[in-house]
Amino acid sequence: MEVKRKFARSRATPNEDENKPSLTVPNFRLSHEVDPRDYAALAVPGGFHSHGYDEAYRQPLHDLAKRIHGQGGTIATMCVGVLPVAETGLLQREKATSFAFSRRHDNLGRLRELGCIPTPGPIKVSNRIISCSGPD
């Protein structure tokens, strides 16, 4: 069966305020509007819980990650983006890394609690899931 791949398009626009990130990428599709059969990969960036990142820990993202991975897709995570993916169980007994220098959270400890093998380092690839330690 051939799967036709679609890619969500978004336009990146520079911010004029120097105190904000240099790029804004608008979200054109909500997770419940995405058909996982149309995608070969999923990228899950990290974020701060105090700035709306809790959305990544909700069931729609978990379901999307499991469906894309279940059909042979790849998941790429950045920084703490690996934590919601680990919550799905996809990284059980698999190596993964995350941002390790948080003053408030033990991210590698959280990976261990979720059944992963936390491995310090910049990038880990395990079971078609890519994790990286963060912005360094």
Side-chain angles (χ1 to χ4, degrees):
M1 174 169 98
E2 184 178 323
V3 177
K4 183 176 158 186
R5 304 293 183 197
K6 295 180 189 174
F7 296 93
R9 291 193 176 119
S10 61
R11 260 182 265 170
T13 56
N15 285 323
E16 294 178 19
D17 184 347
E18 291 181 18
N19 294 322
K20 291 186 179 179
S22 62
L23 208 55
T24 299
V25 181
N27 179 8
F28 289 116
R29 292 189 182 165
L30 300 175
S31 57
H32 71 274
E33 298 172 327
V34 173
D35 184 347
R37 296 173 296 184
D38 293 337
Y39 294 89
L42 174 67
V44 183
F48 295 100
H49 297 283
S50 60
H51 291 83
Y53 192 69
D54 291 337
E55 188 76 25
Y57 291 93
R58 296 200 176 129
Q59 197 62 43
L61 180 69
H62 288 180
D63 293 343
L64 185 60
K66 287 193 285 191
R67 297 251 335 257
I68 289 174
H69 190 267
Q71 66 192 23
T74 299
I75 299 174
T77 68
M78 283 72 68
C79 197
V80 297
V82 71
L83 298 176
V85 174
E87 285 187 353
T88 68
L90 293 172
L91 282 166
Q92 286 286 318
R93 295 175 298 283
E94 300 287 347
K95 291 181 180 180
T97 192
S98 182
F99 185 65
F101 304 107
S102 174
R103 290 180 292 200
R104 297 186 184 139
H105 307 285
D106 179 7
N107 297 323
L108 297 178
R110 180 72 180 131
L111 285 173
R112 187 176 301 103
E113 290 171 5
L114 293 168
C116 306
I117 302 167
T119 309
I123 298 174
K124 296 296 170 224
V125 180
S126 191
N127 190 27
R128 294 187 331 277
I129 298 173
I130 304 163
S131 57
C132 73
S133 60
D136 39 302

